[in-house]
Every structure is written in C-alpha cells, then in structure tokens.
Amino acid sequence: MGATGEQIGPARSRERFLVGEAVADGVRSPILHSWQRCQSLGLSPDQTDLPYRDDFDPDSRLVHAAGPVLDQLASRFAGSQMNVSLADGNGTVLQRRFGEPALARTLPPIQTVPGFVFAERFAGTNGIGLALAERHLVQVYGAEHFAERSQSNACSAIPIRDRLSGHVVGVLCFGYPHGYEHPALPVLVRRAAESIERRLMEQRSERERALLRAYLDAGPLARNGAGPGEGPTIGLEELGDSGLDLGDQMLLKDKATELMSRAQRAAVEVLLPHGRGVTLLSSPVTSRSGVEGVVVEAVFSGEPPPAHHLALPTAAQPPPGTSPATAGKVRGLVLVGEPEVGKYAVAARRRLELLAEASTRIGTTLDVTRTARELAEMAVPRLADYVTVDVPESVLRGEESADPRSELHRTVVHGIREDCPFYPVGRRVELRAGTPHMRCLDSGQAVLEADLREAVGWIDQEPEHARRILDRNVHSLVSVPLLARGVLLGIASFYRAQDPAPFGEDDSWLAQELAARAALCIDNARRYTREHTLALALQESLLPHGMPEQGAVEVAHRYLPAESGVGGDWFDVIPLSGTRVALLVGDVVGHGLHAAATMGRLRTAARNFAELELAPDELLTHLDNLLVRLDREEGGDNDAGSTGIVGATCLYAVYDPTSRLCTMARAGHPPPALVHPGGRVTFPELPPGPPLGLGGLPFETAEIELPEGSTLVLYTDGLIEDRERDIDVALDQLSHTLSEPDRSPEDTCQAVFDAMAPEHPADDIALLVARTRTVPAERIATWNVSADPSLVAGVRAAATRQLADWGLDELAFAAELMLSELVTNAVRYGTEPIQVRLVHDRSLICEVSDGSSTAPHLRRAATTEEGGRGLFLVAQLARAWGTRYTPHGKVIWAECALDAA
C-alpha cells in the first residue's frame, strides 16, 4: 500500500501504462482501474486546468457540520505541511485548512482556492475523485496520481455520508508529502469523517426540535382548525394506559411516516387490530427559522372506520378538524419532522420488507439457475428495473470456477419489459478491464455507477451495445459479486431506468444484502448439484450398461432418478446355468451418495451369490446378513451421528425356460406383475418376507409355472407409491397399462413410464420387463442311468445320435469326452438317481445330476497319478462348467459353444 521506487509511488508502472504496456503486477487494482478510466476519458497527465464553480454554497449544512472538525485538524497539524480539504458529493472543494498557513501563499490557486472540481473525470486519479468512485477510504501515493502536478504528494480520503439516507454528501481528504505517511493517518481521517457525520445528524435533530416547538406554540385552536369540545393533545406514548399498546403505536407511526413523506394536508382513517378506529391528520408546520415540516396527529374514536378508509389518500384531503366525527375525542401527537425524513423512513421500511420477503422467496429450490432467477424477480421492480446475473458454466455444473472473470455466461435477464436491451441468456459474457463489472469481480466488492453516461469503461467495451441500453433510459448501475463461503460464484447487476433518481448507497447496500442471500443459496444449490451429479454418475456406473446374452427372456428396462436426489434403486439380469436366468430389482432406503454406494455393494454381492447357484430364499438370507454387517461396521447400532444403513428391499426371481417354472422370493418388496399372453394381468401372491437389514428372519420362495409368451414386470415402490395417489389406485392403473397384449418389452417400459412416472418424482424408479421364452421339447434330450459303469458307453452313443439329429456332428467328439467323464464320476462317487440331459439352445449344455451333495473339485494331477485329469479335461473342452445344488442332490454341467468345432 505504501510508496514504491523513490517513495513516491509506482512510477515505472505508470510510465509503462502511459506507453501502452501491461502493468497488471505492482499496481493496486483501484489505482489501475482509475488509470484506465482516465485514459478512456482522454485525460492528459500534464493537464493542469480543472473546472471552477462559483455557485457552491459556502454556508451549506455540510460546511457548518465540518467547520469545527476542520479547525481541530488544522490545530492538530499546526506547523506541518499537512492540508485538509472538504469537498461536496460532486468533488467540488468547499473548504481547505493548512497546518502551516503560509503554505497556502506558495501553492497555485488550484490547490488553495475552494471551488475547483476534483472529480475523477476532470482531475484524473486523486484522493477526492477516487473516494467518490470507490465509495470508501482510499489512499493515493506519489506516482499513483494520474496528473503530473501531484507526483510528489500523497493523500488519504474518505466519503462522508448522510447517516439517515446513506447518500455520500462529501469527501474529507488529507494531503501531505510522501514522508508524512503514518499508519495512524487512516484511523484519524476515518474518525474525523465520523465526527462530521454525527454533527450532520445533530443538525437534523435541531431542525426537528424547532418544528416541534412551532407545533406546541401554535396551541390546540390554531392547529388543524380544532373546534370546541376536542380534548387536549398529548403524546402517543401517554395513551398506553387507555388501551393503545406498543403494536398499535408502531402501526400508527408507520402510517404517519407515509403521510409525512407526502408533505400534504390530508386525513386517513386506520382500523387497529382490536377494532378501535383512529383518524390520522397531517398538516404543514414552519419553525421560526423557516424550516418547513409536517406534523401528524391521531384522533381516537371507538367505532371502526369504513373499509374504504383504510388506504392512504392519493391526493390531499382537508382534515375533518371541526367535523362531528372528531368532536370531543382525544388527540395524540404521532410524528413531527421534515418530509425528507419521512421519505427516508418509508424507503428504509420498504428495504426491510424486501429483505424479509427475500429470505423466504430466494432459494426455494436447489437449482442454481432458478435461485438466480428468484434474486432477479425479488429486485424487479422494487429495487431495480432490470437485473442480469452472470455465472460461470462450471458453477452451473456444481463445480468451483478456476477463473470466474473469464468464463461468465449470462444466466438470467429479467426486467420490467420483455424486450430487455441486454445480452440474452446463454451468451458468453466478455468483460474488459476498467468496466464496473470487472472492477466488482477484481475487488470482490459492490461497484456503484450513479450515471452510466459517464461510465467510460463500460461504454468503451462495446459502444453500440451501450448506446442501445442508454436509449432505453437505463441510467444507473450497481454491480454486486456473488460471494459465498469465500467462493466467487458470479456477478449480479442491477440497472435503473424508470425511476429518474440514480442508485444511492442505501440501494447499493440493499443490493448487496439480496446478493449475499442469493449467493449462499446458489452455493448450496451448487454443492447439491455437485453431489447429485456425483451420485447420479455413481448410480449410472453401478447399474447395468447392457443386458447380457441369454435366451431365456427378452428384457427392457428403465431407471428414473428422484428429483431431490439419486437413490438406491437397482435392477439386474444374471444368466445362470442350464439356460436359466435370474431377474433382480432392489431399493436401498435413502438418497444420495451413501444410498448409491450401498446399492453398488448389494448388487455386486447379489451377482456373486447368484453365481453360486443359490436358491432365491438363500440368496436373500445372505444379502440380509451382509447388510446387517455393513450397518454394524458403520456404527448404525450405537453411533447417533452415523448415517447408518437403514435397510433395503429386494425381489429375486429365477426363470427356467426348459420347464417354464419361475421361483421367486421377496424381502419387503412389491410383488411383480404377470402379463398373460392374452393381456390379462395378475399380481402373484408371494410370501412377503422382511426387508433386508433386520437380520435373523427367514425368507420363503414361491414357484409359479408361467404360460409361454407371458411377461414378468418387476419394479420398485417409486412407481406405485405417491403422496397424491393411493397405492391400490396405482396398482389398478399399472394393471390397465399392462393389459395390452403382444407388446414388446421396450414398448411396455415406455407405456408404463408415460402413464405412471410422476413429473417430479420424489423417489427413484427402477423398472424391468421380461417376456419369457421356452426351449422346445425337441431340443431337450434326457436319459436315466443306473449306477453301472458299463452303461457309460451306451450314454455316449445315444448322445452322439442326438447331436447328429440336431446337426451338431462337429461337437460330438467334445461332447462324448465330457459326458464320459461326468457320467463316470456320477456312477463312481454319486448316488442314484442319475440323469443325463442335453439342451440345444444358444450353446450345447451337458448336465449330469445325481442324488449326492458332494461336488468334485478341479485340481492339477501329478505325473505319477493315474486319475484326477477328468475334470481338467472337461474344463479345457467346455466354455464354462460348474455345479449347482438341488433339493435332491446336485447337477454338474458343462457348456460348449456351438462354434467350438
């Protein structure tokens, strides 16, 4: 912040800037932006002439308030080269004080005589002009001044505000040689400005006291034409004992403030909450010193006023001072003051109302774009006539932006007219250095441009676009950064057009409050979007991306995530041995990453258990035990802060196309729908079974023979459970939707989603539709074999003949070897009954079953061993092989590809 180079500022950087070189490093952002504005204005560094005004008021309220403070500062700096300047809100110097009075005789008039204007557009970068542009305490050192004449000086300047309105009414500036720089100077200039602001408020209080004296001196007969029989006038607070509580007083003061701001003689009747009627009377009053104001009185009656009297009048009405309606009533003084004070109070109340409403209307959804839209809708038209919101595209995706200044996209445009003159939504917004928007992003603070016609940096960026905006009477701008938790999320720009008054400091503060609330909601939405995107990506990666090859069923599927977040619904199709297939749907309780991750673990476990050829009830038992262990590991039993796995539901079905039998079991899951070939829809009655995760409770299976060409529909509860729809009604609707015959699974999925899926799903939905197929009986060959090794050759011969009938002679050699080994093992080590089955489907399947539960194991035989190589040979010849257990024993199977020959 201090001087550089020769202690007079960044001289080298200034020289480089003046010749057009980049100077981003080594210069403070406010100074660089000011230089850029000066250059855009066409100012010359050696320019010495400043405009002079002789029409300023040397006896203004600001001068009177600042006079004693300036005198104290002059006394404090007596004998030094320090000088103190007071300027008005336009940059015109009103007063000067010098620590060494003789110093004024050695300086040019521009530095000593009041009346010269030091606004930035005339004087370039200087303390007064920069304080008005930045609207906070600034310090300028040596070569940071744009003009050559100020290169050897430094200054500290701060705006002076009217504390009632918040408007900047002046600037206090300390000027000194660079050697006077001291850390205490900013503190001193700030305290001096606060003293001037307090004295301004005291002046206003004196004027209001003078108005009150004038009101009291007038007497009851001179006020409002009061007639005989009216009671004395007392203060509003004195009526508390007569039934006027604090809430009543606040309501009356609120209405009285609006009357005062109108500066009219008027009357309005107000109905208090408890039914008591009050008439408010406003009348002009003038103090002895000539201060004009308004006094508002209340006349109390017991009858409620007519409904049409509850609104404030739009035009002046004569107060009913002598009317019977007020005769004999008690009068109370409500407010007395200047109309401007009433206007400020009304504006302040409306700002508070807007902020209170914003707290409920901004952030109603976890959507970045919608939240930005709500910010604009709140601001138009009560604060601004047009609002634009620009957000980096990465924020819309839920990420943080690496450089928000270079990747802004127009997200919202909202205004009093549909044909807004601003860049449309979706357009990339390019910002140049020196524009109000870029200054806002660089500093992280609001930037107020009271008059856009003088915002040369904004105009120079795209003159034609700026002209179109100015032609729509857009004249004032407040740019506010969207900052939340230290992250810059974008920028909101508020424009004024219809209201001729430019934005002031109070408007800027209100815009900042609205933007701060919106930014926090946008950041919450961004974080939710990021988590939702991650959860959705995880969910999609864990769900099947394609259906495996199998011939048992023709399948189609759908998955719809919940609007509030991804859940734990899943589905799967798992090919099993013997042409069978497993169909699976499940639902993990909860939403988000935790539910999606748990779903992935359960789906993986279910596939692994299915590979072990477990029966449906046994598979659900293993999943139940797994979920109990996971819940215990994550502290679900004893850690109150743990997320915990609450549970899951599941439906598991195994369909065998050779027998058309479907074995099913469910764990707290809705039963499937069965569509018969003619279109009749039924819901098979399955034993309900407890949800997964409870532990220790049994599951039961049900076996159903499915008609050939029937369709099995499996779904999660999100499809049929809805707050606005009874579950029985939903099931009837599902039945009606499925009743159309001869429809493909893909068409069935689409029809169900079109008819059943909510527009805004509260829970995710998984749907699996499987139309069953059947292996023809002529493609299945079965032989019963006695436990006699001599019969193995006969089985081989019968199998060879069957393969020839099927046209699979090329597979005869491999099939003979595999059957010979499997049947021999069954005869030697198994028990009767022994059965051999060949199935000609998408592959050739050889199965040998027996009544023993002992399964062989593949091992590598030693060179000295005579046996142990049979299963090794089977593994080499078959594409896959394995063992599955049945209620009466086991089946050893081997699968051979039809093109294996």
Side-chain angles (χ1 to χ4, degrees):
M1 196 176 217
T4 62
E6 300 177 348
Q7 297 295 320
I8 59 170
R12 292 183 180 178
S13 296
R14 181 174 172 274
E15 293 173 1
R16 291 198 301 269
F17 174 80
L18 292 176
V19 297
E21 297 181 7
V23 291
D25 297 331
V27 181
R28 293 180 291 139
S29 294
I31 300 298
L32 179 58
H33 292 156
S34 179
W35 287 356
Q36 292 166 340
R37 292 194 296 271
C38 294
Q39 193 175 60
S40 298
L41 288 165
L43 299 180
S44 172
D46 55 5
Q47 178 179 343
T48 57
D49 295 334
L50 294 180
Y52 177 79
R53 299 182 57 181
D54 57 4
D55 59 347
F56 66 91
D57 185 2
D59 295 320
S60 65
R61 293 178 56 220
L62 176 61
V63 172
H64 279 284
V69 179
L70 297 179
D71 292 339
Q72 292 178 8
L73 291 173
S75 175
R76 181 186 182 106
F77 295 123
S80 72
Q81 296 185 28
M82 181 75 72
N83 70 85
V84 182
S85 303
L86 175 71
D88 65 15
N90 297 316
T92 303
V93 174
L94 306 176
Q95 291 277 303
R96 286 191 182 272
R97 298 287 192 277
F98 294 91
E100 177 54 59
L103 184 62
R105 295 191 292 270
T106 65
L107 297 175
I110 197 174
Q111 298 182 20
T112 58
V113 179
F116 286 96
V117 182
F118 280 81
E120 189 182 68
R121 64 180 181 275
F122 303 119
T125 307
N126 71 93
I128 294 174
L130 192 59
L132 289 173
E134 297 292 328
R135 314 186 83 79
H136 57 75
L137 176 65
V138 298
Q139 292 175 286
V140 185
Y141 305 95
E144 289 183 335
H145 291 86
F146 190 76
E148 296 285 355
R149 62 174 174 268
S150 304
Q151 298 297 292
S152 60
N153 297 323
C155 60
S156 297
I158 189 172
I160 298 171
R161 289 183 169 86
D162 183 329
R163 291 186 174 179
L164 187 61
S165 67
H167 295 161
V168 173
V169 296
V171 176
L172 181 65
C173 181
F174 289 9
Y176 43 87
H178 61 268
Y180 275 55
E181 174 62 27
H182 192 277
L185 278 177
V187 178
L188 181 60
V189 70
R190 184 177 284 109
R191 289 179 177 174
E194 291 172 351
S195 297
I196 297 174
E197 292 173 354
R198 284 196 298 271
R199 292 179 61 82
L200 282 171
M201 286 297 295
E202 291 170 0
Q203 286 183 7
R204 191 178 296 278
S205 299
E206 291 176 1
R207 294 160 68 93
E208 290 180 352
R209 285 194 292 270
L211 289 172
L212 179 60
R213 283 194 298 270
Y215 164 76
L216 296 174
D217 292 345
L221 292 178
R223 295 193 299 268
N224 298 328
E230 287 192 333
T233 300
I234 61 177
L236 190 62
E237 289 78 5
E238 299 177 41
L239 295 172
D241 295 336
S242 63
L244 194 65
D245 58 23
L246 183 60
D248 297 333
Q249 296 178 32
M250 293 299 296
L251 176 61
L252 291 178
K253 286 182 178 180
D254 187 51
K255 296 294 184 182
T257 300
E258 295 190 31
L259 279 176
M260 179 188 293
S261 67
R262 294 172 181 267
Q264 297 174 338
R265 181 183 295 273
V268 62
E269 293 189 74
V270 180
L271 178 63
L272 298 178
H274 47 69
R276 189 175 186 181
V278 178
T279 302
L280 293 180
L281 309 175
S282 66
S283 304
V285 62
T286 305
S287 72
R288 294 178 180 177
S289 60
V291 177
E292 296 181 350
V294 175
V295 62
V296 181
E297 297 175 293
V299 179
F300 298 91
S301 63
E303 297 297 327
H308 65 276
H309 285 160
L310 298 182
L312 287 173
T314 57
Q317 300 176 9
T322 58
S323 68
T326 59
K329 306 301 181 184
V330 177
R331 304 171 69 93
L333 175 63
V334 183
L335 285 178
V336 61
E338 297 177 79
E340 287 298 315
V341 176
K343 292 180 181 178
Y344 295 147
V346 171
R349 187 196 70 203
R350 289 174 179 170
R351 288 195 295 271
L352 291 175
E353 291 173 350
L354 181 60
L355 288 176
E357 188 176 349
S359 64
T360 60
R361 289 185 53 188
I362 296 179
T364 59
T365 66
L366 288 172
D367 180 81
V368 173
T369 301
R370 180 58 199 161
T371 303
R373 180 80 183 181
E374 290 168 347
L375 166 63
E377 291 173 346
M378 280 301 307
V380 176
R382 286 188 280 181
L383 172 62
D385 296 314
Y386 298 98
V387 175
T388 64
V389 181
D390 303 322
V391 176
E393 193 173 15
S394 56
V395 173
L396 299 175
R397 297 193 303 266
E399 306 166 4
E400 291 185 13
S401 175
D403 185 7
R405 299 174 300 178
S406 64
E407 55 169 298
L408 287 174
H409 281 70
R410 180 58 45 87
T411 305
V412 171
V413 178
H414 183 61
I416 56 176
R417 295 176 52 169
E418 291 295 330
D419 54 338
C420 293
F422 301 95
Y423 293 142
V425 171
R427 173 163 175 170
R428 186 179 181 90
V429 179
E430 300 286 349
L431 298 176
R432 282 174 46 182
T435 60
H437 308 80
M438 184 58 79
R439 288 160 50 202
C440 171
L441 292 172
D442 286 341
S443 65
Q445 298 177 346
V447 172
L448 169 62
E449 286 286 354
D451 190 350
L452 277 175
R453 292 168 297 183
E454 299 181 358
V456 289
W458 174 75
I459 294 175
D460 288 347
Q461 172 167 288
E462 194 171 340
E464 184 62 26
H465 180 64
R467 185 190 61 78
R468 288 197 300 269
I469 294 177
L470 293 174
D471 287 346
R472 296 288 184 88
N473 296 320
V474 178
H475 58 80
S476 193
L477 161 70
V478 178
S479 291
V480 184
L482 297 173
L483 280 168
R485 303 181 178 97
V487 178
L488 183 59
L489 301 170
I491 183 172
S493 300
F494 303 81
Y495 297 87
R496 183 165 284 177
Q498 276 193 335
D499 190 342
F503 283 123
E505 288 297 325
D506 48 353
D507 300 311
S508 176
W509 292 336
L510 178 58
Q512 293 177 61
E513 284 291 332
L514 290 175
R517 298 181 184 213
L520 189 60
C521 295
I522 287 174
D523 192 49
N524 290 338
R526 178 189 66 82
R527 291 167 177 246
Y528 167 79
T529 300
R530 179 183 60 187
E531 180 176 337
H532 181 74
T533 302
L534 289 174
L536 186 58
L538 176 62
Q539 176 86 337
E540 290 178 349
S541 69
L542 296 175
L543 288 173
H545 290 272
M547 293 293 100
E549 291 186 5
Q550 47 81 35
V553 291
E554 178 187 355
V555 295
H557 57 84
R558 291 287 189 279
Y559 172 75
L560 179 66
E563 188 175 62
S564 60
V566 174
D569 288 17
W570 87 96
F571 60 89
D572 212 343
V573 177
I574 308 171
L576 301 177
S577 63
T579 71
R580 298 172 306 136
V581 65
L583 305 174
L584 177 69
V585 290
D587 182 3
V588 176
V589 175
H591 294 87
L593 286 173
H594 186 264
T598 304
M599 177 275 291
R601 299 164 90 172
L602 282 179
R603 177 174 177 251
T604 301
R607 290 190 69 91
N608 292 334
F609 294 147
E611 291 289 338
L612 296 177
E613 302 282 359
L614 298 178
D617 58 336
E618 294 179 9
L619 183 138
L620 292 181
T621 299
H622 282 285
L623 290 180
D624 182 45
N625 293 335
L626 172 64
L627 206 54
V628 170
R629 287 196 302 272
L630 291 177
D631 199 13
R632 189 180 302 118
E633 290 171 3
E634 298 192 12
D637 292 337
N638 48 26
D639 184 358
S642 170
T643 58
I645 301 171
V646 178
T649 65
C650 184
L651 171 64
Y652 184 73
V654 176
Y655 173 67
D656 187 347
T658 64
S659 61
R660 292 189 283 107
L661 291 179
C662 185
T663 306
M664 293 180 279
R666 63 187 180 117
H669 201 86
L674 177 61
V675 184
H676 295 258
R680 185 171 63 91
V681 179
T682 61
F683 295 91
E685 294 185 4
L686 305 181
L692 301 176
L694 297 181
L697 299 177
F699 300 95
E700 298 181 51
T701 61
E703 192 173 73
I704 302 172
E705 183 175 347
L706 304 183
E708 185 174 352
S710 57
T711 300
L712 200 61
V713 180
L714 288 70
Y715 51 89
T716 55
D717 57 4
L719 184 68
I720 58 174
E721 293 185 3
D722 193 346
R723 298 176 185 174
E724 302 178 358
R725 182 177 56 188
D726 185 78
I727 189 170
D728 292 331
V729 174
L731 289 174
D732 289 342
Q733 185 178 3
L734 177 61
S735 178
H736 177 74
T737 305
L738 295 174
S739 61
E740 183 176 333
D742 300 327
R743 190 161 50 188
S744 70
E746 187 65 33
D747 292 340
T748 300
C749 279
Q750 191 60 48
V752 170
F753 260 50
D754 290 343
M756 303 285 295
E759 184 177 355
H760 303 286
D763 193 8
D764 47 347
I765 301 172
L767 175 67
L768 183 63
V769 177
R771 183 160 65 184
T772 61
R773 293 169 176 164
T774 303
V775 178
E778 60 270 17
R779 290 201 168 206
I780 303 173
T782 305
W783 300 276
N784 294 320
V785 182
S786 301
D788 184 354
S790 63
L791 299 178
V792 175
V795 172
R796 288 200 305 267
T800 301
R801 289 191 300 270
Q802 184 62 64
L803 292 176
D805 293 341
W806 287 341
L808 301 178
D809 300 273
E810 297 85 354
L811 298 178
F813 178 72
E816 282 188 46
L817 289 177
M818 289 189 295
L819 283 176
S820 178
E821 178 60 33
L822 296 179
V823 174
T824 300
N825 280 341
V827 170
R828 287 183 177 180
Y829 308 111
T831 59
E832 295 186 356
I834 301 173
Q835 186 180 74
V836 176
R837 188 172 75 157
L838 291 180
V839 180
H840 178 199
D841 192 43
R842 300 170 65 89
S843 61
L844 177 64
I845 301 172
C846 305
E847 294 181 346
V848 177
S849 62
D850 67 83
S852 170
S853 59
T854 303
H857 296 283
L858 180 66
R859 66 183 181 87
R860 186 176 295 276
T863 56
T864 58
E865 292 182 304
E866 295 184 1
R869 297 177 179 83
L871 286 181
F872 184 80
L873 181 62
V874 170
Q876 296 299 310
L877 294 174
R879 182 171 64 180
W881 76 280
T883 304
R884 67 174 182 268
Y885 294 92
T886 67
H888 308 292
K890 66 176 182 298
V891 176
I892 302 177
W893 57 270
E895 183 177 326
C896 188
L898 297 183
D899 58 355

